[in-house]
Amino acid sequence: MRNESGFEVIKKAIENLKLRHKDHIAAYGEGNDHRLTGRHETTDINTFSWGVANRGASVKVGRDTAKEGKWYFKDKRPASNMDPYVVISMIVETTILWKP
């Protein structure tokens, strides 16, 4: 993701997150049904979205990442009460190890 043409790797990782959206939501902490409503700069809990500099998307890609064609993305779905070990394990499995 941080190398040249990393944006293609980022898009593939995001596509994998989309395919496993419901699995991730189930592990991303309690109360997301109240927080991810589609209002107040969130996408509703049943919808996956991503975009460049889109504060309302499930996954946000920064402007600099899009401009440079590499760097990182941010999954905005985990709640503050999530188990960080579970969440990071799922993200790594889905974005790096899992082959749909």
Side-chain angles (χ1 to χ4, degrees), residues 58-69:
S58 307
V59 173
K60 178 182 171 183
V61 174
R63 289 185 203 279
D64 290 341
T65 297
K67 181 180 175 184
E68 297 293 327

Side-chain angles (χ1 to χ4, degrees), residues 6-84:
F7 197 57
E8 293 305 314
V9 177
I10 290 169
K11 289 192 287 189
K12 177 62 178 159
I14 292 170
E15 182 60 29
N16 283 1
L17 288 170
K18 178 181 179 180
L19 294 173
R20 296 185 76 189
H21 174 67
K22 289 183 182 182
D23 297 331
H24 282 253
I25 287 294
Y28 277 10
E30 295 179 21
N32 270 339
D33 55 326
H34 299 291
R35 187 176 66 86
L36 301 176
T37 62
R39 296 174 291 184
H40 311 297
E41 298 181 350
T42 64
T43 300
D44 76 87
I45 195 166
N46 297 309
T47 305
F48 181 90
S49 64
W50 76 276
V52 174
N54 182 344
R55 295 182 352 181
S58 307
V59 173
K60 178 182 171 183
V61 174
R63 289 185 203 279
D64 290 341
T65 297
K67 181 180 175 184
E68 297 293 327
K70 59 183 178 182
W71 299 115
Y72 68 96
F73 63 89
K74 179 180 178 183
D75 189 343
K76 297 176 56 183
R77 299 171 296 165
S80 61
N81 64 359
M82 55 77 183
D83 181 334

